[in-house]
Amino acid sequence: MQLSREALIRAYRQMKTIRMFEERLHDEIALGEIAGFTHLYAGQEACAVGVCEHLGPKDYIISTHRGHGHCIAKGCDVIDMMKEIYGSRDGLCKGKGGSMHIADVGVGMLGANGIVGAGAPIAVGAGITAKSNGTVSIAFSGDGACNQGTTFEAMNMAVVLKLPVIFVFENNHYSEHTGEAYAVGAESMTARSAAFGMKAIKANGIDFFSVHEAMRELIEWCKGGNGPASIELDCERFYGHFEGDPQRYRGPGELDRIREERDCLKTFRARVTEAKLLDGTELDRVDAEVTDLIERAVAEARSAARPTAAQVVEDVYINY
Amino acid sequence: MAMKMIRDVIRDTIDAEMARDDSVIMLGEDIVGGNGSAGGPEAIGGIWGTSGGLWAKYGADRVIDTPISESAIIGAAAGAALTGKRAIAEIMFADFIGVCMDQIWNQVAKFRYMFGGKSRCPITIRMPYGAGFNAAPQHSQVIHQLVTAMPGLKVVMPTTPADTKGLLAQAIRDDDPVIFLEHKALYGVKGEVPDEDYVIPFGHARQVTQGDDITILATGMMVGLAENAAADLAQDGIGCDLLDLRTTSPLDEEAILDSVERTGRLLIVDEAPPRCSLATDLSALVAQKAFASLKSPIEMVTAPHSPVPFARELESAYLPSPDKIVAAAVKLMSYRRG
Ligand SMILES: Cc1ncc(C[n+]2csc(CCOP(=O)(O)OP(=O)(O)O)c2C)c(N)n1
Ligand SMILES: [Mg+2]
């Protein structure tokens, strides 16, 4: 299905925002500006955006430790996210969660998550709500998380309860330093998902259009009351597992090659300009706007209010 | 004697135990690191640097890299231990105990008892733990209070390189299940380690400083903070008897009670939140068994009743510190009855 110009620009803007957000964080972390563990999403933008462009605020997603891209794609405020990663009291989570726990339940983003495999069961619960709303619930997981027992339980339960849950497996071929080839025992993640009794497909995670088309079909399927579905997205991560990872598990030239040949932003630009759907200057304009946005986000985050000791014990409960 | 960091002592001790006893195996996520990648096995060698080279030396049947599956890691280690192996399992961050709690609590801890004393499950579960890295609520916690409360488990919290060697060797050779807690902030701590083979039996605290005014009890990263505080207090003429408990189960009650009977004052430093904790447990012990010796109420410096926050300012406010310990000590000393 042909997307409108507005829709194409919007998708590009989202992907570009994620890319520049992450590239900037990479630099800021190297300067020692940011505390804690940060896992960058760059490289996988077409996955988050290809999925989330179908969703509204009453659709739910749950994310992973590598959550910035999912947050941006689902509509979390970019400046508030940056403030959170900087640990400001004005951050999206008041500096309590940081990169690994960014969430905005109000926009249907049920959180990045520090526990691998914790997301899928929660997405099943959001699927119960989604079923009553006529919406869908999406669990983002990696090729590593797909081996966690919690993920298996969630998939089976979603089938048993016929819930509108879509298990999105972003296969970037590594869980930390271990290759998918070692850790996923099944012939393929897609085949394993199918064995749970759900519709299971695979798409090209570096091609926005491939992800977007496939997701349209799956969302219709789920909303049609057919139960859950799963999609495996073949993609790449452009940085280390976490910032500071020496990546010695990569082959010689591997990173250069994937950045050159498997970059979803380059692919998108080539596709829409060659097909004359958009021209390069329109995309350049988006690039400039996003550059400004990220610049502003970092400037605001750097000077944002810091939390105080009294805040440590705030928000443990609503009422105690 | 050699100067070594705790992380290297752990690796070397596992190496020595694997060499000594063919039945010792090790399981964990990324403990080999690089399997299934172009870089190949040992490309990384464990994210904590505690298992480098072991796969190359002992092979994939004994140094087992696992998928991300904590329940299966502990279950598999338990099953192997129940059937004749001596298993070392690594849970990458102690926080992930949540994923495999059943295997630890209902299985490993209870086999011996449920089976009428007719089984052995020699398993050492190693878990890096603790705050100090702005790693946020799910990667910064202490869990000693949970596992110490579980009958059937022994709980070890080493703080020096020399202790790490003797306690880890004891853990691996022990026929009971042992939770071996490695504070992430202590991995880089260096110290002299005797070359010869030795074990340190469980249930014996280490006297860190001696003094007659206050007994301070601490574990893990808290020991170093308390040591700094004790040095400050000594300058003001306040003598601290600082005990590093080394194991919380079994607990060296004798050393604790002897010290409190001498000093009459107790200060407990604990990285855990204050409710149902090691601090409350120790305080109950002393209140019950050394009440008559106490010259003042027991003081505790603990984390607050909250998760571990992310931001730098919040995490440092959350954690005990030498200043907080000194303030509590001063309060203890200035207490007047009535
Ligand atoms: C329960 C649990 N086990 C282990 C980890 C440590 N860990 C964090 S991310 C990760 C790898 C996850 O791989 P994958 O699911 O493929 O996601 P990716 O990092 O590729 O995005 C591991 C092992 C964790 N955070 N939680
Ligand atoms: Mg992965």
Side-chain angles (χ1 to χ4, degrees):
Chain A
M1 196 174 115
Q2 186 51 60
L3 289 172
S4 69
R5 293 169 56 81
E6 290 68 35
L8 289 170
I9 289 187
R10 202 192 122 84
Y12 180 75
R13 183 189 305 278
Q14 293 288 73
M15 292 200 289
K16 189 74 186 180
T17 306
I18 297 170
R19 176 67 56 88
M20 296 197 79
F21 190 92
E22 299 296 63
E23 285 177 341
R24 184 60 183 266
L25 276 180
H26 178 73
D27 295 342
E28 296 297 318
I29 289 164
L31 295 174
E33 290 267 331
I34 291 160
F37 297 131
T38 319
H39 307 84
L40 300 181
Y41 189 75
Q44 303 180 203
E45 294 86 350
C47 302
V49 177
V51 171
C52 292
E53 281 302 283
H54 290 289
L55 308 180
K58 288 258 174 220
D59 294 302
Y60 304 103
I61 70 165
I62 193 156
S63 174
T64 69
H65 55 287
R66 199 176 302 289
H68 307 167
H70 305 135
C71 285
I72 292 173
K74 189 67 172 63
C76 294
D77 186 273
V78 171
I79 293 178
D80 290 350
M81 283 179 62
M82 193 65 90
K83 287 181 182 166
E84 181 61 26
I85 294 168
Y86 271 77
S88 163
R89 64 190 286 173
D90 297 336
L92 200 51
C93 307
K94 301 187 189 168
K96 297 284 179 59
S99 165
M100 241 190 304
H101 306 288
I102 294 199
D104 190 347
V105 176
V107 302
M109 198 294 166
L110 307 186
N113 206 310
I115 304 298
V116 170
I122 301 169
V124 172
I128 295 173
T129 307
K131 190 173 183 177
S132 61
N133 285 346
T135 57
V136 295
S137 168
I138 311 276
F140 284 101
S141 309
D143 51 291
C146 85
N147 300 316
Q148 190 68 283
T150 48
T151 307
F152 297 159
E153 292 174 25
M155 292 172 87
N156 182 57
M157 191 149 136
V159 171
V160 169
L161 303 180
K162 271 200 157 205
L163 294 173
V165 179
I166 303 176
F167 298 90
V168 176
F169 293 107
E170 289 176 76
N171 184 358
N172 61 12
H173 312 287
Y174 293 98
S175 51
E176 289 202 344
H177 320 309
T178 297
E180 169 224 353
Y182 176 81
V184 179
E187 191 184 305
S188 84
M189 293 164 57
T190 306
R192 189 157 72 185
S193 296
F196 277 96
M198 67 179 74
K199 186 178 178 74
I201 61 176
K202 193 170 171 172
N204 180 358
I206 59 161
D207 176 5
F208 166 80
F209 297 97
S210 169
V211 178
H212 195 256
E213 264 318 297
M215 281 303 294
R216 182 196 314 284
E217 181 194 334
L218 293 190
I219 289 170
E220 271 168 24
W221 165 269
C222 284
K223 287 191 176 169
N226 298 302
S230 121
I231 184 167
E232 175 185 352
L233 301 174
D234 179 6
C235 60
E236 306 289 349
R237 78 165 140 75
F238 279 7
Y239 291 103
H241 168 63
F242 61 97
E243 283 306 274
D245 173 5
Q247 300 192 67
R248 289 192 299 269
Y249 46 86
R250 300 248 192 212
E254 181 180 325
L255 261 182
D256 292 339
R257 185 181 51 76
I258 61 174
R259 280 172 171 267
E260 187 51 41
E261 296 168 13
R262 289 177 53 78
D263 181 339
C264 58
L265 277 153
K266 283 185 191 158
T267 310
F268 185 95
R269 186 182 267 265
R271 169 87 174 264
V272 295
T273 51
E274 276 158 27
K276 304 230 177 333
L277 298 170
L278 296 174
D279 72 54
T281 56
E282 286 171 291
L283 298 174
D284 293 343
R285 194 170 333 116
V286 173
D287 291 355
E289 286 164 11
V290 174
T291 306
D292 286 350
L293 172 66
I294 300 299
E295 193 55 52
R296 191 152 54 85
V298 170
E300 287 195 28
R302 279 194 182 140
S303 59
R306 302 303 305 172
T308 59
Q311 290 179 295
V312 170
V313 293
E314 288 175 6
D315 294 321
V316 180
Y317 302 94
I318 295 169
N319 188 356
Y320 192 58
Chain B
M1 292 279 236
M3 278 297 273
K4 278 190 187 178
M5 283 194 282
I6 286 185
R7 67 156 49 82
D8 296 327
V9 172
I10 290 167
R11 191 224 153 271
D12 293 352
T13 306
I14 295 172
D15 188 358
E17 294 304 309
M18 293 191 91
R20 191 177 166 270
D21 179 351
D22 284 345
S23 73
V24 177
I25 62 168
M26 181 174 176
L27 301 88
E29 292 160 13
D30 270 313
I31 59 170
V32 178
N35 269 315
S37 78
E42 294 269 10
I44 297 289
I47 74 156
W48 301 111
T50 51
S51 52
L54 297 175
W55 174 87
K57 198 161 169 188
Y58 300 103
D61 288 343
R62 293 184 65 193
V63 180
I64 302 170
D65 226 1
T66 70
I68 307 175
S69 307
E70 284 78 10
S71 285
I73 292 171
I74 301 301
L82 206 52
T83 53
K85 301 288 185 193
R86 233 166 239 290
I88 305 169
E90 178 180 295
I91 295 298
M92 190 181 284
F93 284 78
D95 312 68
F96 310 160
I97 192 175
V99 182
C100 50
M101 191 61 110
D102 176 67
Q103 291 293 337
I104 294 176
W105 183 36
N106 282 319
Q107 313 304 328
V108 166
K110 296 183 172 65
F111 286 151
R112 173 88 181 173
Y113 188 78
M114 296 188 296
F115 302 164
K118 291 178 189 162
S119 67
R120 291 184 328 140
C121 185
I123 174 174
T124 300
I125 305 177
R126 296 181 37 239
M127 300 195 222
Y129 74 99
F133 296 87
N134 310 107
Q138 296 172 344
H139 283 70
S140 305
Q141 298 170 89
V142 297
I143 54 135
H144 58 273
Q145 70 280 31
L146 305 180
V147 284
T148 301
M150 293 176 189
L153 301 177
K154 295 176 178 174
V155 182
V156 186
M157 303 176 78
T159 62
T160 71
D163 277 7
T164 300
K165 175 173 172 176
L167 291 167
L168 183 54
Q170 174 59 40
I172 296 169
R173 293 178 204 179
D174 207 290
D175 285 337
D176 285 315
V178 178
I179 308 290
F180 194 85
L181 299 172
E182 301 164 10
H183 202 293
K184 302 192 284 278
L186 300 182
Y187 272 138
V189 167
K190 265 192 175 165
E192 294 283 0
V193 182
D195 296 325
E196 74 272 11
D197 176 56
Y198 62 96
V199 296
I200 298 176
F202 296 159
H204 296 278
R206 177 174 68 95
Q207 180 106 33
V208 184
T209 65
Q210 272 177 326
D212 295 327
D213 298 313
I214 302 177
T215 298
I216 306 183
L217 304 179
T219 52
M221 183 170 77
M222 301 300 104
V223 174
L225 304 182
E227 203 174 348
N228 289 342
D232 280 0
L233 291 162
Q235 305 223 310
D236 295 333
I238 301 173
C240 296
D241 221 32
L242 170 59
L243 297 180
D244 168 0
L245 297 177
R246 296 208 280 204
T247 64
T248 59
S249 181
L251 180 68
D252 191 349
E253 289 193 12
E254 199 181 314
I256 296 168
L257 296 172
D258 282 355
S259 174
V260 174
E261 276 157 15
R262 210 157 27 74
T263 63
R265 298 183 187 88
L266 177 62
L267 169 51
I268 305 161
V269 189
D270 191 1
E271 193 175 327
R275 302 289 316 278
C276 295
S277 65
L278 179 64
T280 55
D281 182 63
L282 296 170
S283 132
L285 169 79
V286 168
Q288 274 181 329
K289 298 196 179 167
F291 185 72
S293 323
L294 288 174
K295 297 174 191 159
S296 75
I298 295 163
E299 279 293 325
M300 297 179 196
V301 177
T302 69
H305 185 63
S306 87
V308 188
F310 161 68
R312 286 185 172 122
E313 296 86 343
L314 295 175
E315 194 188 53
S316 41
Y318 172 92
L319 279 171
S321 66
D323 284 351
K324 292 178 191 170
I325 299 168
V326 168
V330 168
K331 188 173 164 207
L332 265 180
M333 293 306 292
S334 53
Y335 176 79
R336 294 286 171 274
R337 218 173 275 266

